[in-house]
Amino acid sequence: MITIRDITLRRGVKVVLQKASVVMQPGEKVGLIGRNGAGKSSLFSLLTHRLQADAGDVEIPPRWRVGEVAQDMPETEDGATEFVLQGDIPLMEAQAELATAEAADDGDAMAHAHVALDEAGAFDARARAQALLMGLGFKGEELDKPVNSFSGGWRMRLQLARALMCPADLLLLDEPTNHLDLDALVWLEAWLKRFEGLMVVISHDREFLDAICRVIVHLDDCTLTRYSGNYSAFEEMRAERLSQAAAAFGKQQDRIAHLQKFIDRFKAKASKAKQAQSRVKALARMEKLAPVLTASDFNFEFREPLSLPNPMLSFDGLQCGYGSTQIVGNISRSVLAGQRIGILGANGQGKSTLVKTIAKALQPLGGVMTEGKGLSIGYFAQQELDVLSMDDGPLMHMVRLARDVGPAGREQELRDFLGTFRFTGAMVTQAVGSLSGGEKARLVLAMLVWQRPNLLLMDEPTNHLDLTTREALSIALNEFEGTVMLVSHDRALLREVCDEFWLVTRGGVSPFDGDLDDYQKWLLDVSRALSKGQEPPPVPGNALAAATAVSSPAAAPAPAAKATQKPASRDDRKQGAQARSQLANRTRPLRMEVQQIDARLAALGAEKLDLEGQLARGKLPSGGIADIGRRLNHIAAEVVTLEERWLELQGEIEAINAAA
């Protein structure tokens, strides 16, 4: 287990931890939470020995292997799979041992190295690495692409896959859900639930914390407090603890006032001097309770738009993409005043491409996009933090914005406005490059609010925001009088803000009739259908099957024309049957392997239950417990391998069906 005892840690002049203590047990899944800048990442550096404590002790079993996601951007020409494989330290050590033994022509050393390779799972390592990549959203044709060919967000996914590849006793994850879409997020949750070591995760995604963690460690006011349960349980227990602490402080203040009143009244009277002196001593001995101080709630609001055109936007056969490559097309929809639209879809399907086209960061490839009179767009892009000037302060950013974009404002007015976003005093001139990710995101929000838009386009706005700021954003969006179009992996934000959803998939955009739970269920149904070689289920509420739009709008008949089409001829039906038969033949070997894996998993599950029953009944021969323990370990390892191969096969089946 990990024991942190009376730790004091300083970063420069700032005290991050002060006499903090906490214990974390093997196998626990711990959520480390706290406001931005509280010192969560510093605690990770302490656990990995990159920082040394100023006082106190940190005890970690010396033989524990620690896995964590590197925060630097990888720069290498290695293929994606090879890069992820390099994260498996035991495998890399065994391969290096074998290379050394072969160079020395040492037979014994080679034999030992082959044993080490077998123990490291070398025979299926590549398949496991590729299963991780596909689970995180990489396509089959991208598995061996050079790391340098991926964008920054995808390279961070590669870093995550590399960390998950390592068989760690302690897994440290710092905001692992950033850069993930909902599909990959659901997969990651399932993977982490199967992880058997101690996991500590920093996250501001409350639904992710609720799904994964059964222990919450709260870093607040330089102390660490452990709570049992998920994040929702933590909120309830913390509220109760604060209520009790406030009540205890109030009672003590009443007691102190009563004692002081007696002392002041009778200290000068000889007959009462002894009693007064005893109360002075009691007051001195009393352990003073601190008042209950919590971080002040952060809140802001979007100012009332100057106008609300209706409709705000209308699309007629809109086509979006890059250069001559269409990503999503045949979009014929309207955006009305006051709508709250959540945009769903896997990464790479075109969500950001659609939003960038609406924001005019990309030019449409075809079709018509008509704007309502007086439309004013506020755009929060995923890469918005990267375009801030790192050498200038928040005030300089606001001065430029007021001068070049508007509305105009005096310097004192801009200072007061920044103060509502917690930029006060010297912070308004502090270089943006020295601010935390959350502070940069707050500055971008401030710049967005100042522009007074009536249509908000928000592409992953919560990546760097702590829970308090996320809640403030949710409240502000709900009170905003204009229209919101939101792309986010934060399910809590989507649930709280959006009242309808658009689904971007297979080259088109369609309405999704349901909530996020329905969306996740639909994703599961699609996966099951593809694994059986069947047609995927239609998008709920999409009778026209707009989601299956092909690359050219002309190739997809308009709804009016569809109604006048003649029924399919006998030859057409025959050709369709032949095409489906050919597709089934191509996926049959993969589907058969999936069935074999399902059967093997069922057999292993039955064997595991039998072995656990034998352990429970006892009366085993000498060495029987050890043999059963080893067999259970082998079963667990085989189950993990089979499940990862199952995911890989599903990805291959889906790719074949998508290409057909």
Side-chain angles (χ1 to χ4, degrees):
M1 66 181 179
I2 293 178
T3 303
I4 297 174
R5 185 182 299 109
D6 293 330
I7 283 291
T8 296
L9 177 66
R10 292 180 176 86
R11 300 299 305 271
V13 297
K14 180 181 180 182
V15 178
V16 176
L17 294 169
Q18 182 73 44
K19 292 187 176 299
S21 300
V22 73
V23 174
M24 292 176 282
Q25 301 287 348
E28 288 184 332
K29 293 179 172 56
V30 181
L32 177 61
I33 64 171
R35 68 184 186 281
N36 283 340
K40 302 183 296 295
S41 296
S42 297
L43 180 58
F44 270 21
S45 296
L46 193 67
L47 294 174
T48 54
H49 307 296
R50 292 192 297 271
L51 289 178
Q52 297 298 320
D54 296 280
D57 299 307
V58 178
E59 297 178 4
I60 302 177
R63 300 189 65 176
W64 269 22
R65 185 176 288 112
V66 180
E68 64 172 337
V69 180
Q71 295 303 307
D72 59 306
M73 199 67 70
E75 294 288 347
T76 176
E77 291 296 327
D78 291 341
T81 300
E82 182 61 31
F83 177 77
V84 172
L85 278 170
Q86 292 165 10
D88 192 334
I89 296 174
L91 178 62
M92 294 298 103
E93 291 174 346
Q95 289 179 347
E97 182 183 349
L98 179 60
T100 301
E102 289 176 341
D105 197 22
D106 186 337
D108 289 340
M110 282 189 279
H112 185 274
H114 280 292
V115 171
L117 284 169
D118 182 60
E119 292 177 347
F123 73 98
D124 66 344
R126 186 173 181 83
R128 287 187 284 118
Q130 292 185 342
L132 286 172
L133 288 170
M134 296 185 76
L136 290 173
F138 289 85
K139 298 182 176 66
E141 61 271 18
E142 296 175 330
L143 298 179
D144 292 310
K145 284 180 60 177
V147 170
N148 285 348
S149 67
F150 292 98
S151 65
W154 287 96
R155 288 196 216 178
M156 292 312 297
R157 289 197 188 203
L158 287 170
Q159 292 284 40
L160 175 58
R162 184 179 170 117
L164 299 181
M165 189 69 189
C166 181
D169 302 291
L170 170 62
L171 182 60
L172 303 176
L173 298 176
D174 192 347
E175 292 289 0
T177 62
N178 286 355
H179 310 292
L180 297 185
D181 56 24
L182 284 174
D183 304 51
L185 181 54
V186 171
W187 176 89
L188 178 63
E189 286 180 357
W191 193 96
L192 292 177
K193 286 176 182 177
R194 297 196 305 266
F195 178 69
E196 296 181 352
L198 168 60
M199 182 193 75
V200 185
V201 57
I202 297 172
S203 178
H204 297 298
D205 185 331
R206 60 183 304 141
E207 292 209 14
F208 178 77
L209 291 170
D210 273 347
I212 297 299
C213 299
R214 293 298 173 264
V215 175
I216 298 294
V217 172
H218 186 209
L219 200 170
D220 182 52
D221 196 24
C222 302
T223 62
L224 295 169
T225 307
R226 177 186 167 106
Y227 295 82
S228 296
N230 59 15
Y231 182 79
S232 295
F234 153 77
E235 282 192 315
E236 295 177 5
M237 288 187 286
R238 175 164 166 76
E240 180 65 24
R241 179 174 290 190
L242 290 176
S243 176
Q244 292 173 352
F249 177 75
K251 288 181 180 179
Q252 187 180 71
Q253 292 302 108
D254 291 343
R255 174 64 175 161
I256 290 173
H258 177 76
L259 291 173
Q260 191 64 52
K261 184 177 180 181
F262 185 93
I263 293 168
D264 293 341
R265 182 177 179 182
F266 296 113
K267 63 183 178 181
K269 290 188 177 183
S271 61
K272 296 288 187 179
K274 189 173 182 180
Q275 292 93 323
Q277 189 61 32
S278 69
R279 282 161 176 75
V280 169
K281 292 179 180 179
L283 194 59
R285 289 195 303 268
M286 185 181 295
E287 182 180 350
K288 303 298 189 298
L289 298 176
V292 178
L293 299 176
T294 60
S296 58
D297 291 337
F298 172 65
N299 59 77
F300 70 98
E301 62 181 7
F302 291 95
R303 298 190 287 183
E304 182 182 355
L306 297 175
S307 63
L308 286 174
N310 196 23
M312 290 197 166
L313 287 168
S314 62
F315 312 127
D316 185 8
L318 182 67
Q319 302 175 48
C320 310
Y322 298 85
S324 59
T325 304
Q326 178 175 301
I327 306 298
V328 59
N330 198 29
I331 307 170
S332 297
R333 302 193 58 76
S334 295
V335 179
L336 306 178
Q339 279 187 296
R340 300 289 192 273
I341 301 169
I343 302 177
L344 306 175
N347 273 4
Q349 293 295 315
K351 302 189 301 296
S352 293
T353 305
L354 171 62
V355 172
K356 288 178 181 177
T357 304
I358 297 173
K360 301 180 183 176
L362 291 175
Q363 291 297 317
L365 301 185
V368 178
M369 181 170 67
T370 305
E371 297 183 357
K373 185 178 180 180
L375 178 68
S376 174
I377 295 176
Y379 177 39
F380 189 112
Q382 283 196 59
Q383 69 276 18
E384 189 70 30
L385 303 186
D386 298 333
V387 302
L388 294 173
S389 175
M390 295 297 107
D391 296 327
D392 295 331
L395 180 59
M396 182 57 68
H397 283 81
M398 292 301 303
V399 168
R400 278 199 300 266
L401 181 69
R403 182 190 65 210
D404 300 338
V405 180
R410 301 186 312 275
E411 181 176 322
Q412 187 57 50
E413 185 181 0
L414 296 175
R415 285 178 177 269
D416 293 342
F417 178 75
L418 284 171
T420 64
F421 285 83
R422 289 182 174 173
F423 294 103
T424 58
M427 280 192 72
V428 299
T429 56
Q430 182 179 340
V432 166
S434 65
L435 299 178
S436 70
E439 289 165 338
K440 292 174 186 174
R442 283 210 310 275
L443 175 57
V444 174
L445 282 174
M447 295 170 67
L448 196 64
V449 170
W450 181 263
Q451 296 173 56
R452 210 165 182 174
N454 49 32
L455 171 60
L456 286 173
L457 301 176
M458 311 203 79
D459 193 355
E460 299 292 0
T462 62
N463 274 350
H464 300 277
L465 301 181
D466 59 24
L467 283 159
T468 300
T469 310
R470 290 186 185 207
E471 291 169 1
L473 175 62
S474 173
I475 294 171
L477 290 175
N478 276 309
E479 294 177 349
F480 177 56
E481 295 185 11
T483 297
V484 177
M485 299 183 74
L486 176 63
V487 177
S488 179
H489 65 263
D490 187 327
R491 288 163 292 182
L493 184 67
L494 287 169
R495 292 183 200 277
E496 292 164 5
V497 172
C498 301
D499 48 30
E500 61 181 293
F501 294 99
W502 290 3
L503 178 61
V504 182
T505 184
R506 304 175 202 166
V509 177
S510 66
F512 186 89
D513 185 15
D515 56 19
L516 290 181
D517 293 330
D518 296 323
Y519 176 61
Q520 293 185 18
K521 181 178 181 298
W522 177 76
L523 288 175
L524 182 60
D525 291 341
V526 169
S527 177
R528 287 173 177 167
L530 292 175
S531 69
K532 298 176 181 178
Q534 301 172 350
E535 286 293 322
V539 177
N542 180 25
L544 298 176
T548 58
V550 291
S551 59
S552 170
K562 204 168 189 177
T564 60
Q565 284 181 327
K566 294 180 180 180
S569 68
R570 183 175 180 181
D571 289 341
D572 290 338
R573 292 195 297 271
K574 184 176 181 180
Q575 290 176 1
Q578 289 174 344
R580 289 191 296 273
S581 177
Q582 291 172 358
L583 183 61
N585 288 335
R586 291 179 61 193
T587 59
R588 183 174 291 110
L590 301 176
R591 289 185 283 109
M592 288 180 64
E593 187 174 352
V594 167
Q595 292 174 1
Q596 291 170 357
I597 290 175
D598 287 338
R600 178 60 179 161
L601 286 172
L604 289 172
E607 184 181 358
K608 179 184 177 184
L609 286 175
D610 179 62
L611 292 173
E612 289 173 342
Q614 293 181 39
L615 286 175
R617 290 190 296 272
K619 298 181 180 180
L620 294 168
S622 176
I625 294 178
D627 291 338
I628 290 178
R630 282 192 291 270
R631 180 55 189 157
L632 287 172
N633 286 335
H634 290 157
I635 289 174
E638 187 176 354
V639 166
V640 170
T641 300
L642 289 172
E643 288 177 342
E644 289 167 346
R645 175 58 179 163
W646 189 92
L647 288 170
E648 183 183 4
L649 290 168
Q650 298 286 26
E652 293 178 11
I653 292 170
E654 185 173 352
I656 292 173
N657 280 282

